[in-house]
Amino acid sequence: MCGIVGYTGGRRASEIVYRGLEELEYRGYDSAGIASLENGNIYTVKRRGRVKSLDGLISDLDGNTAVGHTRWATHGKPSDKNAHPHVCGKFALVHNGIIENCEELKKMYFSGVEFDSETDSEVIVRLIDLFYDGDILSALKNTASLLKGSYAVALICADFDGLAVMKRNNPAIIGYGDGENFVASDAPALSRCKTITILKDGDIALVTKDGVNIFDENLQGVIRERIKNLAEPSSLELGDCPHYMLKEIREVPATVVNTCSAYLSAEQKIKEVLSGVNRIIITGCGTAYNAGLLGKRYVELIAGIPAEAEIAGEFRYKRPIVDSKTLVLAVSQSGETADTVEAAKLARSLGGKVIAVTNSPYSELVRLSDATAPVAAGPEICVAATKSYVGQVAALYLFANTLAGEPIEKCIGELEAVSPLCKKTIEHIEISSLADMCARSNGVYFLGRDTDYAVATEGSLKLKEISYIAGDGYPAGELKHGTLALIDIKTVSVFIITRKELAEKNVNAVEQVLSRRGKAAVVTNIESVCEKLRKRAEIIRIPECPENLSPLISVTVLQMLAYNTALLLERDPDKPRNLAKSVTVE
Ligand code: F6R
């Protein structure tokens, strides 16, 4: 959610920052901008729209030090003037986060002053300029002490040949080069740097081409670990895929296998954390929460331990009951999602244990957790989560088996056997007719029972977010308790039916839809279901596999459905309107 990049060194900074912004664009794409320092002068270009809207403008920026920003609007609509960097006096600043007391600060320090933008970020650069008397560090310290909310800030100053950085509750990572240094919102954007430092909350850093000095909030010099950057480059290569979404769905089979190997190295630590635990809460947002719904069922079905799944934004405000025997699994692709990170912090502060289930080894979530169940999906560029969801489900399946005391090699074998079935499904799926039905519909409902219901929630979210077609994911048994009123000839109901003992009940629900003239489709691996509904519902046949693992396959069908429907409606599946990856604000 908003990407910040900074460079200082011997090369043309604007080009390097531009490339960094391209790599971070999934964090927001409402507007973009770069400010460059040249002979003590600051030059800024910024535009509403995507990073490429800066093409042709950056050729005028010659300096060797620059900051850049790609925005997901919070305060103030997407526009040229609301785009970052914001400039005041000798400073140009980029910001990721939200300043909650911005109006208060404006009243207190800038009464009668007309701001250039409607953003909360501008108040930061104005405060820094106000407090600046030749000492950048003090100006930053004084500003930071007034800010409420979250920020990762990078700035350039006409008097200083380098970058200044400060952060609280949003990520800022320093990358080290040879005679040059970098700052960025996440590690994959720094993949050309062999080593990195992850700044801590309250840190203020001065970065020059020759070195990095880090201070705490009282301006005491601190040493922060310089670690090897293991992040894979966020490859912008699409290969033969027209979109990242398709590329990433095709990476699902590898994600399953890689998550298994990563889990193997993490299992011992996870076992240690499990000691004394008698209650499991799984939390996350959006797709990660939907994976948590499956995780809950895995814990119950496999380990026989009651588990709860809670939306992180609800969990953190409901005064949750957590004690030292409670384990919270915090699921997050980015490891940065504000609600999930805060939920995990809260659980720890109440004495609970936390395991992060995440794709981001350097994230805040990993740092605050007792252990990590790694998701080895690699960087995910498409805003809609696909391979990371499947990786999360695989990690939760492995976790449930560890909890149950099952030999992990056996479960890994099961998952590895499912991986080629996912591949087969993705490669051979015939989804165009159902996508066409959905694209023409007034609403699409996804229905299933038990684990199939969990998959239905994700199918619905995927379709909504990239095609903008309204709908819902529902337990099939609930249909007759309300949703049936919505069914008519213009709606499509997609049933997921993979649990044999529940197949009959689900077929009844399909019949209820058909008798209201609704259109129905069924994603199933059960022959009797196909026979009963042949010619009356659109049937998508998927390969058979152990029942608990069918979600890994059925969800790829729903991901492909969402992708193909979005294409029919001429939506951009990689960058859906109004959204961004990594929701670092509340
Ligand atoms: C949907 C999607 C979002 C994220 C949610 C949590 O496709 O990507 O719903 O799942 O914002 O993000 P993470 O997993 O990074 O915590």
Side-chain angles (χ1 to χ4, degrees), residues 13-51:
S14 56
E15 274 168 21
I16 293 162
V17 166
Y18 181 92
R19 273 207 301 281
L21 291 181
E22 283 186 313
E23 285 178 327
L24 288 178
E25 196 169 24
Y26 58 83
R27 297 178 71 94
Y29 32 87
D30 291 333
S31 58
I34 297 177
S36 165
L37 182 66
E38 204 185 324
N39 302 325
N41 294 309
I42 289 176
Y43 299 93
T44 304
V45 294
K46 51 188 194 171
R47 280 285 178 277
R48 181 188 169 165
R50 301 204 173 165
V51 174

Side-chain angles (χ1 to χ4, degrees), residues 246 249-250 253 420-432 539-543 553 556-557 560 564:
L246 183 59
I249 295 172
R250 288 184 181 163
L421 302 180
C422 295
K423 186 166 190 286
K424 188 172 153 197
T425 306
I426 295 160
E427 278 171 8
H428 300 293
I429 182 93
E430 189 28 83
I431 203 81
S432 50
I539 311 266
I540 311 284
R541 189 77 197 254
I542 57 171
I553 302 175
T556 63
V557 174
M560 290 295 281
N564 282 279

Side-chain angles (χ1 to χ4, degrees), residues 429-447:
I429 182 93
E430 189 28 83
I431 203 81
S432 50
S433 149
L434 180 54
D436 188 57
M437 269 160 69
C438 292
R440 292 161 187 270
S441 76
N442 277 359
V444 181
Y445 301 94
F446 290 82
L447 300 128

